[in-house]
Amino acid sequence: MNVKRLGIYLNDHLLGSTVGLDLAKRTERENRSNPVGQYLATLIPLIEQDRATLLTVMSALDVRVDPLKVGGAWLTEKLSRLKLNGSLLRYSPLSRLVELEGLCVGSHGRVSLWRSLEKVAPKEPRLAKFDFAFLAERADGQLETLQTLRLRATDAAFSDTSVETGEQAPVPTEA
């Protein structure tokens, strides 16, 4: 097995994990009073667990964390906040939609990571202690819930009642 290429792959996912975790925390803060925030409050500890597992996998394989990628992840997440959302000073229903889409992309990436590691684990004894199938299934369920919330946020983002008119835009209801 080419551990060097696997190390690059794992560092790429660590970058994504860093961005995704920061995005989840920011989105949860902005949505604490609605079902999006409530779901994210339960999801964030699981994303943190997945990130810790990724770091443990990297350690087991003697893969060093690439500080440039981790720093790049921090910068990427901060720059993503500059997107236009139709409301310069306040959180917008469009912000919620775009952030949920980003979280869906991140969850899809986690499913892919765990499935890929599940595929290579039989060839690498240092990976035998990890249950990648469980991690992939869990991430897949999280993705399904995020997709439901995202679709509901789509309705809110494009409804006629909005921040611009001074009316309260609806938030997604129970998942």
Side-chain angles (χ1 to χ4, degrees):
M1 178 178 332
N2 189 319
V3 178
K4 181 179 179 185
R5 284 196 301 254
L6 182 56
I8 293 167
Y9 176 77
L10 295 174
N11 267 292
D12 287 347
H13 276 277
L14 182 60
L15 181 154
S17 175
T18 302
V19 171
L21 183 56
D22 286 348
L23 175 60
K25 288 177 178 179
R26 184 177 80 235
T27 306
E28 186 272 334
R29 276 191 310 273
E30 293 290 343
N31 290 278
R32 282 200 173 128
S33 63
N34 66 54
V36 171
Q38 293 159 7
Y39 176 69
L40 291 178
T42 65
L43 179 62
I44 289 167
L46 299 175
I47 295 172
E48 290 171 333
Q49 285 177 7
D50 282 359
R51 188 172 188 282
T53 300
L54 175 56
L55 288 166
T56 303
V57 167
M58 292 171 72
S59 177
L61 295 171
D62 297 318
V63 171
R64 293 178 13 158
V65 171
D66 183 337
L68 290 177
K69 287 191 180 181
V70 174
W74 179 86
L75 182 61
T76 298
E77 195 281 329
K78 300 309 176 232
L79 289 174
S80 74
R81 296 177 183 201
L82 298 176
K83 67 190 173 301
L84 297 176
N85 64 8
S87 177
L88 292 176
L89 301 177
R90 296 190 327 200
Y91 193 77
S92 155
L94 185 57
S95 301
R96 182 180 303 112
L97 173 60
V98 171
E99 289 170 357
L100 284 166
E101 286 180 351
L103 291 170
C104 287
V105 169
S107 291
H108 182 76
R110 283 186 298 122
V111 171
S112 296
L113 166 67
W114 301 135
R115 291 283 180 223
S116 293
L117 290 173
E118 180 183 24
K119 177 86 171 150
V120 301
K123 300 171 191 125
E124 176 52 67
R126 295 175 289 180
L127 296 177
K129 66 181 178 180
F130 299 98
D131 189 350
F132 297 121
F134 166 78
L135 292 167
E137 289 301 317
R138 184 173 76 175
D140 199 39
Q142 295 161 356
L143 174 58
E144 189 175 317
T145 301
L146 286 167
Q147 288 284 17
T148 299
L149 291 169
R150 181 191 64 78
L151 289 172
R152 291 178 181 160
T154 299
D155 290 337
F158 304 121
S159 73
D160 286 335
T161 58
S162 68
V163 174
E164 293 82 19
T165 64
E167 298 176 44
Q168 182 65 25
V171 296
T173 56
E174 292 295 320

Coordinates of all heavy atoms in Angstrom, one line a residue, residues 61-111:
L61 N -1.0 5.1 11.3 CA -0.3 4.9 10.1 C 1.0 5.8 10.0 O 1.7 5.8 9.0 CB -1.1 5.3 8.9 CG -2.4 4.4 8.7 CD1 -3.3 5.0 7.6 CD2 -2.0 3.0 8.3
D62 N 1.3 6.5 11.1 CA 2.5 7.4 11.2 C 2.4 8.5 10.1 O 3.5 8.8 9.5 CB 3.8 6.6 11.0 CG 4.0 5.6 12.2 OD1 3.7 6.0 13.3 OD2 4.4 4.4 11.9
V63 N 1.2 9.0 9.9 CA 1.0 10.1 8.9 C 1.0 11.4 9.7 O 0.2 11.5 10.7 CB -0.3 9.9 8.2 CG1 -0.6 11.1 7.4 CG2 -0.2 8.7 7.3
R64 N 1.9 12.3 9.4 CA 2.0 13.6 10.0 C 0.9 14.5 9.5 O 0.6 14.5 8.3 CB 3.3 14.2 9.9 CG 4.4 13.3 10.6 CD 5.8 13.8 10.5 NE 6.0 15.1 9.9 CZ 7.1 15.8 10.1 NH1 8.1 15.3 10.9 NH2 7.3 17.0 9.6
V65 N 0.4 15.3 10.4 CA -0.6 16.3 10.1 C 0.1 17.4 9.3 O 1.2 17.9 9.7 CB -1.3 16.9 11.3 CG1 -2.1 18.2 11.0 CG2 -2.1 15.9 12.0
D66 N -0.4 17.8 8.1 CA 0.2 18.8 7.3 C -0.3 20.2 7.8 O -1.5 20.5 7.6 CB -0.3 18.6 5.8 CG 0.3 19.6 4.9 OD1 0.7 20.7 5.3 OD2 0.4 19.3 3.7
P67 N 0.6 21.0 8.5 CA 0.1 22.2 9.1 C -0.4 23.2 8.0 O -1.3 24.1 8.3 CB 1.3 22.8 9.8 CG 2.5 22.0 9.2 CD 2.0 20.7 8.7
L68 N 0.1 23.2 6.8 CA -0.4 24.1 5.7 C -1.8 23.8 5.4 O -2.6 24.7 5.2 CB 0.5 24.0 4.5 CG 1.9 24.5 4.6 CD1 2.7 24.3 3.3 CD2 1.8 26.0 4.9
K69 N -2.2 22.5 5.4 CA -3.6 22.2 5.1 C -4.5 22.6 6.2 O -5.6 23.0 6.0 CB -3.7 20.7 4.7 CG -3.2 20.4 3.4 CD -3.5 19.0 2.9 CE -2.9 18.8 1.5 NZ -3.1 17.5 1.0
V70 N -4.1 22.4 7.4 CA -4.9 22.8 8.6 C -5.1 24.3 8.6 O -6.2 24.8 8.8 CB -4.3 22.2 9.9 CG1 -5.1 22.8 11.1 CG2 -4.4 20.7 9.9
G71 N -4.0 25.0 8.4 CA -4.1 26.5 8.3 C -4.9 26.9 7.1 O -5.7 27.9 7.2
G72 N -4.8 26.2 6.0 CA -5.6 26.5 4.8 C -7.1 26.3 5.1 O -8.0 27.0 4.7
A73 N -7.4 25.3 5.9 CA -8.8 25.0 6.3 C -9.3 26.1 7.1 O -10.5 26.6 6.9 CB -8.9 23.7 7.1
W74 N -8.6 26.6 8.1 CA -9.0 27.7 8.9 C -9.3 28.9 8.0 O -10.4 29.6 8.2 CB -7.9 28.1 9.9 CG -8.3 29.2 10.8 CD1 -9.0 29.2 12.0 CD2 -8.0 30.6 10.6 NE1 -9.2 30.4 12.5 CE2 -8.5 31.3 11.7 CE3 -7.3 31.3 9.6 CZ2 -8.4 32.7 11.8 CZ3 -7.2 32.7 9.7 CH2 -7.7 33.4 10.8
L75 N -8.4 29.3 7.1 CA -8.6 30.4 6.2 C -9.8 30.2 5.3 O -10.6 31.1 5.1 CB -7.3 30.6 5.4 CG -7.3 31.8 4.5 CD1 -7.5 33.1 5.2 CD2 -6.0 31.9 3.7
T76 N -10.0 29.0 4.8 CA -11.1 28.7 3.9 C -12.4 29.0 4.6 O -13.3 29.6 4.1 CB -11.0 27.3 3.4 OG1 -9.8 27.1 2.7 CG2 -12.2 26.9 2.6
E77 N -12.5 28.5 5.8 CA -13.8 28.7 6.6 C -14.0 30.1 6.8 O -15.2 30.6 6.7 CB -13.7 27.9 7.9 CG -15.1 27.7 8.6 CD -15.6 28.9 9.3 OE1 -14.7 29.7 9.9 OE2 -16.8 29.2 9.4
K78 N -13.0 30.9 7.2 CA -13.2 32.3 7.4 C -13.6 33.1 6.2 O -14.5 33.9 6.2 CB -11.9 33.0 8.0 CG -11.5 32.3 9.3 CD -12.5 32.3 10.4 CE -12.0 31.6 11.6 NZ -12.8 30.5 12.1
L79 N -13.0 32.7 5.0 CA -13.3 33.4 3.8 C -14.8 33.0 3.3 O -15.4 33.8 2.7 CB -12.3 33.0 2.7 CG -10.9 33.6 2.9 CD1 -10.0 33.1 1.8 CD2 -11.0 35.2 2.8
S80 N -15.2 31.8 3.7 CA -16.6 31.4 3.3 C -17.6 32.3 3.9 O -18.8 32.3 3.4 CB -16.8 29.9 3.6 OG -17.0 29.8 5.0
R81 N -17.3 33.0 4.9 CA -18.3 33.9 5.6 C -18.5 35.1 4.8 O -19.5 35.8 5.1 CB -17.7 34.3 7.0 CG -17.6 33.1 7.9 CD -17.0 33.5 9.2 NE -16.8 32.4 10.1 CZ -16.7 32.5 11.4 NH1 -16.8 33.7 12.0 NH2 -16.5 31.4 12.1
L82 N -17.7 35.4 3.8 CA -17.8 36.6 3.1 C -18.8 36.5 1.9 O -19.1 37.5 1.2 CB -16.5 37.0 2.5 CG -15.4 37.4 3.5 CD1 -14.1 37.7 2.8 CD2 -15.8 38.5 4.4
K83 N -19.5 35.4 1.7 CA -20.4 35.2 0.6 C -21.6 36.2 0.8 O -22.0 36.5 1.9 CB -20.9 33.8 0.6 CG -21.8 33.4 1.8 CD -22.0 31.9 1.8 CE -22.7 31.5 3.1 NZ -22.0 31.8 4.3
L84 N -22.1 36.6 -0.3 CA -23.3 37.5 -0.3 C -24.5 36.6 0.0 O -24.7 35.6 -0.7 CB -23.4 38.2 -1.6 CG -22.2 39.2 -1.9 CD1 -22.4 39.8 -3.3 CD2 -22.1 40.2 -0.8
N85 N -25.4 37.1 0.9 CA -26.5 36.3 1.2 C -27.8 37.1 1.1 O -28.9 36.7 1.6 CB -26.4 35.7 2.6 CG -26.3 36.8 3.7 OD1 -26.5 37.9 3.4 ND2 -26.0 36.4 4.9
G86 N -27.8 38.2 0.5 CA -28.9 39.1 0.4 C -29.2 40.0 1.6 O -30.2 40.7 1.5
S87 N -28.4 39.9 2.6 CA -28.6 40.7 3.8 C -27.2 40.9 4.3 O -26.5 40.0 4.8 CB -29.4 39.9 4.8 OG -29.6 40.7 6.0
L88 N -26.8 42.2 4.3 CA -25.4 42.5 4.6 C -25.1 42.4 6.1 O -24.0 42.0 6.5 CB -25.1 43.9 4.2 CG -25.0 44.1 2.7 CD1 -24.7 45.6 2.3 CD2 -23.9 43.2 2.1
L89 N -26.1 42.7 7.0 CA -25.8 42.7 8.4 C -26.4 41.6 9.2 O -26.1 41.4 10.4 CB -26.3 44.1 9.0 CG -25.7 45.3 8.3 CD1 -26.3 46.6 8.9 CD2 -24.2 45.3 8.5
R90 N -27.4 40.9 8.6 CA -28.0 39.8 9.4 C -27.9 38.5 8.7 O -27.7 38.4 7.5 CB -29.5 40.2 9.6 CG -29.7 41.5 10.4 CD -31.1 41.8 10.8 NE -32.1 41.4 9.9 CZ -33.3 41.9 9.8 NH1 -33.7 42.8 10.7 NH2 -34.2 41.4 9.0
Y91 N -28.2 37.5 9.5 CA -28.2 36.1 9.0 C -29.4 36.0 8.1 O -30.5 36.5 8.5 CB -28.3 35.1 10.2 CG -28.1 33.7 9.8 CD1 -26.8 33.2 9.6 CD2 -29.1 32.8 9.7 CE1 -26.6 31.9 9.3 CE2 -28.9 31.5 9.4 CZ -27.7 31.0 9.2 OH -27.4 29.7 8.9
S92 N -29.3 35.4 7.0 CA -30.4 35.3 6.0 C -30.8 33.9 5.8 O -30.0 32.9 6.0 CB -29.8 35.8 4.7 OG -30.5 35.3 3.6
P93 N -32.1 33.6 5.4 CA -32.5 32.3 5.1 C -31.6 31.7 4.0 O -31.4 30.4 4.0 CB -33.9 32.5 4.6 CG -34.4 33.7 5.3 CD -33.2 34.6 5.3
L94 N -31.1 32.5 3.1 CA -30.1 32.0 2.1 C -28.8 31.5 2.8 O -28.2 30.5 2.4 CB -29.9 33.0 1.1 CG -29.0 32.6 -0.1 CD1 -29.6 31.4 -0.8 CD2 -28.8 33.7 -1.1
S95 N -28.4 32.2 3.8 CA -27.2 31.7 4.6 C -27.4 30.3 5.1 O -26.6 29.5 5.0 CB -27.0 32.6 5.8 OG -26.7 34.0 5.4
R96 N -28.6 30.1 5.7 CA -28.9 28.8 6.2 C -28.8 27.7 5.1 O -28.3 26.6 5.3 CB -30.3 28.8 6.9 CG -30.7 27.5 7.5 CD -32.1 27.5 8.2 NE -32.2 28.6 9.2 CZ -32.9 29.7 9.0 NH1 -33.7 29.9 8.0 NH2 -32.9 30.6 10.0
L97 N -29.4 28.0 4.0 CA -29.4 27.0 2.9 C -28.0 26.7 2.4 O -27.6 25.5 2.3 CB -30.3 27.6 1.7 CG -30.2 26.7 0.4 CD1 -30.7 25.3 0.7 CD2 -31.0 27.4 -0.7
V98 N -27.2 27.7 2.2 CA -25.9 27.5 1.7 C -25.0 26.8 2.7 O -24.2 25.9 2.4 CB -25.2 28.9 1.3 CG1 -23.8 28.8 1.0 CG2 -26.0 29.5 0.1
E99 N -25.2 27.1 4.0 CA -24.4 26.4 5.0 C -24.9 25.0 5.1 O -24.0 24.1 5.3 CB -24.6 27.2 6.4 CG -23.9 28.5 6.4 CD -24.2 29.4 7.6 OE1 -25.0 29.0 8.4 OE2 -23.5 30.4 7.6
L100 N -26.1 24.7 5.0 CA -26.6 23.3 5.1 C -26.1 22.5 3.8 O -25.7 21.4 4.0 CB -28.1 23.2 5.1 CG -28.7 23.5 6.5 CD1 -30.2 23.7 6.4 CD2 -28.4 22.4 7.5
E101 N -26.0 23.2 2.7 CA -25.4 22.5 1.5 C -23.9 22.2 1.8 O -23.5 21.1 1.4 CB -25.6 23.4 0.3 CG -27.0 23.4 -0.2 CD -27.2 24.3 -1.5 OE1 -26.2 25.0 -1.9 OE2 -28.3 24.2 -2.1
G102 N -23.2 23.1 2.4 CA -21.8 22.9 2.7 C -21.7 21.7 3.7 O -20.8 20.9 3.5
L103 N -22.6 21.6 4.7 CA -22.5 20.5 5.6 C -22.9 19.2 4.9 O -22.3 18.1 5.3 CB -23.5 20.8 6.8 CG -23.0 21.9 7.7 CD1 -24.1 22.3 8.7 CD2 -21.7 21.5 8.4
C104 N -23.8 19.2 3.9 CA -24.1 18.0 3.2 C -22.9 17.6 2.4 O -22.6 16.4 2.4 CB -25.3 18.3 2.2 SG -26.9 18.4 3.0
V105 N -22.2 18.5 1.8 CA -20.9 18.1 1.0 C -19.9 17.5 2.0 O -19.3 16.5 1.7 CB -20.3 19.4 0.4 CG1 -18.9 19.1 -0.2 CG2 -21.3 19.8 -0.8
G106 N -19.8 18.1 3.2 CA -18.8 17.6 4.2 C -19.2 16.2 4.6 O -18.4 15.3 4.8
S107 N -20.5 15.9 4.8 CA -21.0 14.6 5.3 C -20.8 13.6 4.2 O -20.4 12.4 4.5 CB -22.4 14.7 5.7 OG -22.6 15.4 6.9
H108 N -21.0 14.0 3.0 CA -20.7 13.1 1.8 C -19.3 12.7 1.8 O -18.9 11.6 1.6 CB -21.2 13.7 0.5 CG -21.0 12.8 -0.7 ND1 -21.8 11.8 -0.9 CD2 -20.0 12.8 -1.6 CE1 -21.4 11.1 -2.0 NE2 -20.3 11.7 -2.4
G109 N -18.4 13.7 2.1 CA -17.0 13.4 2.1 C -16.6 12.5 3.2 O -15.8 11.6 3.1
R110 N -17.3 12.6 4.4 CA -17.0 11.6 5.5 C -17.4 10.2 5.1 O -16.7 9.3 5.4 CB -17.7 12.1 6.8 CG -16.9 13.2 7.4 CD -17.5 13.7 8.8 NE -18.8 14.1 8.7 CZ -19.9 13.6 9.3 NH1 -19.7 12.6 10.2 NH2 -21.1 14.1 9.2
V111 N -18.6 10.1 4.5 CA -19.0 8.8 4.0 C -18.0 8.2 3.1 O -17.6 7.0 3.2 CB -20.4 8.8 3.3 CG1 -20.7 7.5 2.6 CG2 -21.5 9.3 4.3

